Amino acid sequence: MSNIVLKGLSKVYAEGETEEVRAVNGIDLEIEKGEFLAIVGPSGSGKSTLLNLVGGLDVPTEGHVLIDGRDTQGLSEKELTRIRREKIGFVFQEFNLLPVLNASENVQLPLRYLKVGTRERERRAAEALELVGLSKRARNRPSQLSGGERQRVAIARALVTGPALVLADEPTGELDTVNTCRIIEVMRKLNDTLNQTFAIVTHDPMVAAYTSRVITLRDGQVESDLAQAAADLHCDDGETI
Amino acid sequence: MVKVILRNMWRRKARTFLTVFGIVVGIFALTVLGGLSARLTQQVNGAKSWFTNSISVVPSGGSLFGGENMFFTLDKVDEIQRVPGVKEAVAGIGLFVKDSQNFSFGAPDLIVGLETAGAQDLLKQLNVDEGRSLQSGDKGVVLLGSTLAEKLNGKVGGTVSLRGQEFEVIGILQPTLSAPDTFAFVAYEDALSLFYAANPFIKQTEPIASNVYVTWELGTDPEALAKDIESQVSGVRVISPSEAEKQISQFSLIFNAILFGIAFIALIVGGLSIINTMVMSVSERTREIGLKRAIGAETNTILGEYLLESAMIGFLGGLIGMGLGVLAIFFLNNATSSSNVTVFTVSLTVVIGPVIFATILGTLAGIFPALRAARLKPVESLRED
Ligand SMILES: Nc1ncnc2c1ncn2[C@@H]1O[C@H](COP(=O)(O)OP(=O)(O)O)[C@@H](O)[C@H]1O
Ligand SMILES: [Mg+2]
């Protein structure tokens, strides 16, 4: 059964009065439940826009997004919010942490919106931070964290609810090789054990290599869509996973 | 939740401080004036109970508190006495204790001269704390209201000086927190001679009265009786109990109107500054709002957060303003206590009212900015910088 189906999906930005930008231009795609895929392509090719459309953050100009067979077109803002809250975890290109909350509180935020109790929230946030290797930084505010650490907090926030679908926009852009490897390792493990779907936008060929499907975008269209055998992870500290 | 909101407010310390300060100023003024109003209401209510026990008849053109320069001759008293339903028409003279007293807070210090024989019904309504009341045939003696007794340092058995004349204190009234506290009751004849002394150009051949206090027979409607007196006796103004109440209420009405005006200005100024601050906060935090919406916050959650923040600004401003106001009242009352004037009363309303007012104000002022925040589209907000 398909998790996500995109049909003739387009997003047009009317730039000024005459020029219009077709950020996403007629994309048809199927993403199975439990896939681990990468979306690559040059800057401006529509990767972020596509992710926003799939995640119900943005509405398409044309075409349809079906989540679990259900067309999101015509859903109210409230219903879209609910889908985002219950099914989707976002990692944004800019990590978008709240400056007044510490790392743990930032990670707890989606659980708060799911009305999870304080204790359970704290427990699960600690677990998610442990997963990304930031247990020691739980009480630090974003301003006290490095770029890489902030990115990992943002990843923990996306994973903490155990969403069926994780949409990650350049989640490893600020990470060194070792941490990139570890994050991908965590994601793959979750993908294996919980069958969560991962769609990862990336510029990093190493990250793409670790996935089992690579979708390449150019000018808002799918240039290529290739299945592959995911490379084995060899994180720098010598361990093979 | 509240913790996070306080942290958010703390991000712009100076701006939050200024906004809260704006509320503090308004609420401070409101609290102090509220204390003033509470005290005035107390006095007014007391004055009501004294002045509504009888029908007051004054020379036409006079008012409830009489006027020193208006009076009528005693045959008017007899005329009033003959109106059916009148039990007793008591001649009285009202004089200010001090010549120069043009303005006073609440009831003025007043010498009230009463025909002792006829006034027994009226005097019965006063509760004597020490000594005794005025009796028929008393001369050269005074029954002092509690505040006035303290002010003049009068003791039962001792003497006090009223407008240059010595009087023996025969009694002191219980405090009523109202008009009689500042009254000195003397015999009509004594008041008359004080009156003549104060007005040397008046012919001293005919006895006069500045007020006539009329009590009524049991079962008589005082309002109807007042109308009868008005129509049957010429040259008088009759102030019925209900009219007396109206006249006295006007005092507090005007004052409460001022109070309301100040509250209104506080509402406009404070409210606008909260709106301004919150609109700025919302636009500064557009990205954060977008993020929250993106990860599943309902519009109502965002709405609630910003309303709460705005209410908090109002609440804090209200709390601080009220605290400072009560402190000011405390010091002002202390400062005036040597002259035996209590200017302010701190009631529960005075304390809680302004805080509730400020909190509601904050909440209302937050509606527009909060709606703006809640209506932001997640994806557009996230793109903001
Ligand atoms: N809000 C917008 N208004 C106008 N143009 C936009 C907007 N968002 C994206 N674009 C344009 O759409 C195209 C795709 O953008 P984006 O999806 O961010 O690309 P990528 O993430 O692959 O770098 C770009 O040309 C970009 O300039
Ligand atoms: Mg992008």
Side-chain angles (χ1 to χ4, degrees):
Chain A
M1 205 196 96
S2 283
N3 196 0
I4 289 154
V5 176
L6 310 180
K7 282 186 189 162
L9 199 64
S10 292
K11 180 71 187 181
V12 182
Y13 292 112
E15 195 91 9
E17 283 176 355
T18 48
E19 211 179 324
E20 53 170 44
V21 179
R22 299 200 143 252
V24 167
N25 193 6
I27 288 186
D28 295 289
L29 268 182
E30 281 193 27
I31 300 173
E32 304 279 332
K33 180 159 180 55
E35 276 199 73
F36 197 81
L37 63 84
I39 300 172
V40 298
S43 172
S45 59
K47 305 182 294 293
S48 297
T49 305
L50 180 65
L51 231 49
N52 288 341
L53 290 172
V54 171
L57 275 180
D58 208 351
V59 285
T61 314
E62 292 156 29
H64 300 270
V65 176
L66 284 76
I67 297 180
D68 287 335
R70 192 161 168 229
D71 197 337
T72 57
Q73 196 180 56
L75 288 186
S76 68
E77 184 59 45
K78 203 178 166 65
E79 287 164 310
L80 284 175
T81 304
R82 201 182 124 148
I83 291 175
R84 289 199 298 270
R85 187 169 57 228
E86 293 176 354
K87 298 197 168 173
I88 301 175
F90 285 100
V91 183
F92 297 99
Q93 198 165 359
E94 301 88 8
F95 332 127
N96 288 318
L97 301 180
L98 298 194
V100 294
L101 302 184
N102 66 32
S104 169
E105 290 164 334
N106 264 294
V107 174
Q108 285 176 48
L109 208 55
L111 297 174
R112 192 185 277 275
Y113 298 138
L114 284 168
K115 307 243 170 353
V116 176
T118 317
R119 288 229 157 168
E120 177 70 2
R121 272 205 320 258
E122 278 167 4
R123 193 184 64 73
R124 282 164 71 175
E127 237 172 55
L129 283 172
E130 165 107 63
L131 221 52
V132 298
L134 276 182
S135 291
K136 291 207 180 89
R137 312 294 264 152
R139 303 284 152 224
N140 289 90
R141 299 263 181 102
S143 57
Q144 301 162 321
L145 301 175
S146 73
E149 287 171 329
R150 277 183 240 172
Q151 190 151 41
R152 284 188 280 161
V153 173
I155 293 166
R157 182 179 62 195
L159 298 179
V160 74
T161 58
L165 173 63
V166 177
L167 299 171
D169 203 346
E170 313 236 12
T172 59
E174 293 270 333
L175 302 184
D176 56 31
T177 327
V178 177
N179 275 312
T180 298
C181 189
R182 287 190 180 141
I183 289 298
I184 298 299
E185 178 195 349
V186 165
M187 289 181 169
R188 272 196 17 191
K189 209 174 248 170
L190 289 170
N191 174 251
D192 270 351
T193 54
L194 303 177
N195 206 29
Q196 286 173 281
T197 310
F198 283 83
I200 304 162
V201 170
T202 186
H203 275 310
D204 187 343
M206 181 183 91
V207 173
Y210 290 145
T211 64
S212 45
R213 179 181 178 188
V214 179
I215 297 168
T216 309
L217 297 190
R218 185 173 294 278
D219 300 331
Q221 292 178 316
V222 177
E223 192 185 52
S224 68
D225 182 354
L226 302 170
Q228 64 183 25
D232 282 344
L233 279 164
H234 297 285
C235 293
D236 243 14
D237 46 10
E239 288 174 58
T240 305
I241 304 138
Chain B
M1 189 70 185
V2 169
K3 195 175 64 182
V4 172
I5 281 169
L6 286 176
R7 279 193 219 157
N8 266 327
M9 283 165 63
W10 195 244
R11 284 161 85 170
R12 296 265 182 227
K13 294 177 205 58
R15 193 175 70 202
T16 301
F17 173 80
L18 284 175
T19 313
V20 170
F21 185 72
I23 306 292
V24 166
V25 170
I27 293 302
F28 173 80
L30 195 64
T31 306
V32 172
L33 287 168
L36 212 57
S37 160
R39 174 67 184 148
L40 193 75
T41 305
Q42 236 174 24
Q43 297 222 338
V44 161
N45 287 340
K48 269 184 200 162
S49 74
W50 165 251
F51 283 105
T52 55
N53 284 326
S54 60
I55 299 170
S56 283
V57 183
V58 296
S60 50
S63 79
L64 188 58
F65 285 106
E68 283 197 55
N69 304 319
M70 281 196 246
F71 48 87
F72 38 46
T73 51
L74 282 192
D75 52 345
K76 279 282 180 246
V77 181
D78 296 334
E79 242 181 276
I80 296 165
Q81 182 71 64
R82 282 196 294 274
V83 176
V86 171
K87 187 177 177 197
E88 201 79 58
V90 183
I93 292 181
L95 276 167
F96 292 125
V97 170
K98 286 199 199 90
D99 246 340
S100 57
Q101 187 155 18
N102 307 317
F103 172 82
S104 81
F105 184 77
D109 294 346
L110 212 59
I111 300 169
V112 180
L114 292 170
E115 228 182 346
T116 46
Q120 289 306 312
D121 261 7
L122 283 169
L123 288 167
K124 242 184 274 166
Q125 286 153 8
L126 302 170
N127 294 318
V128 180
D129 190 34
E130 255 183 277
R132 62 169 177 86
S133 185
L134 274 186
Q135 279 166 10
S136 188
D138 274 342
K139 257 192 128 271
V141 298
V142 63
L143 173 64
L144 286 174
S146 59
T147 308
L148 197 55
E150 271 185 58
K151 203 186 273 189
L152 300 175
N153 204 13
K155 305 254 176 333
V156 176
T159 59
V160 294
S161 166
L162 296 173
R163 300 189 73 120
Q165 204 151 312
E166 296 290 313
F167 284 83
E168 187 196 341
V169 180
I170 47 138
I172 293 172
L173 295 171
Q174 282 176 6
T176 62
L177 298 175
S178 70
D181 285 358
T182 61
F183 287 179
F185 295 94
V186 299
Y188 165 78
E189 296 78 9
D190 291 335
L192 188 63
S193 57
L194 288 178
F195 181 80
Y196 282 148
N199 300 279
F201 303 113
I202 289 172
K203 250 198 331 192
Q204 303 199 357
T205 50
E206 231 175 340
I208 52 158
S210 64
N211 297 58
V212 178
Y213 300 96
V214 177
T215 56
W216 50 89
E217 303 275 8
L218 213 68
T220 305
D221 172 20
E223 301 300 317
L225 181 58
K227 284 213 180 69
D228 287 350
I229 297 171
E230 187 115 58
S231 63
Q232 290 175 33
V233 182
S234 64
V236 298
R237 171 153 186 237
V238 184
I239 300 163
S240 71
S242 73
E243 202 194 328
E245 192 167 342
K246 233 188 282 166
Q247 280 199 16
I248 294 166
S249 298
Q250 231 146 40
F251 261 141
S252 50
L253 275 185
I254 291 170
F255 194 82
N256 284 333
I258 295 173
L259 189 71
F260 187 78
I262 299 222
F264 191 71
I265 292 169
L267 184 130
I268 299 287
V269 175
L272 285 179
S273 108
I274 293 182
I275 291 176
N276 184 50
T277 295
M278 292 304 295
V279 165
M280 281 165 79
S281 296
V282 167
S283 72
E284 280 168 8
R285 298 182 212 152
T286 299
R287 265 186 93 96
E288 295 173 27
I289 295 164
L291 183 268
K292 287 176 175 176
R293 296 278 290 110
I295 63 174
E298 297 277 359
T299 49
N300 281 342
T301 308
I302 304 291
L303 191 75
E305 276 177 21
Y306 281 86
L307 276 184
L308 203 60
E309 181 168 338
S310 175
M312 189 85 84
I313 292 177
F315 174 74
L316 279 182
L319 205 64
I320 297 170
M322 181 278 289
L324 291 179
V326 170
L327 217 62
I329 287 178
F330 180 74
F331 280 118
L332 285 172
N333 270 345
N334 246 359
T336 56
S337 68
S338 53
S339 55
N340 291 303
V341 201
T342 307
V343 186
F344 303 95
T345 300
V346 178
S347 66
L348 202 62
T349 323
V350 171
V351 173
I352 295 177
V355 181
I356 294 179
F357 174 77
T359 308
I360 293 175
L361 177 67
T363 312
L364 292 180
I367 290 178
F368 168 69
L371 278 176
R372 257 175 87 138
R375 286 195 187 129
L376 288 173
K377 294 259 169 294
V379 74
E380 286 159 27
S381 315
L382 276 172
R383 211 178 289 123
E384 264 323 280
D385 31 33

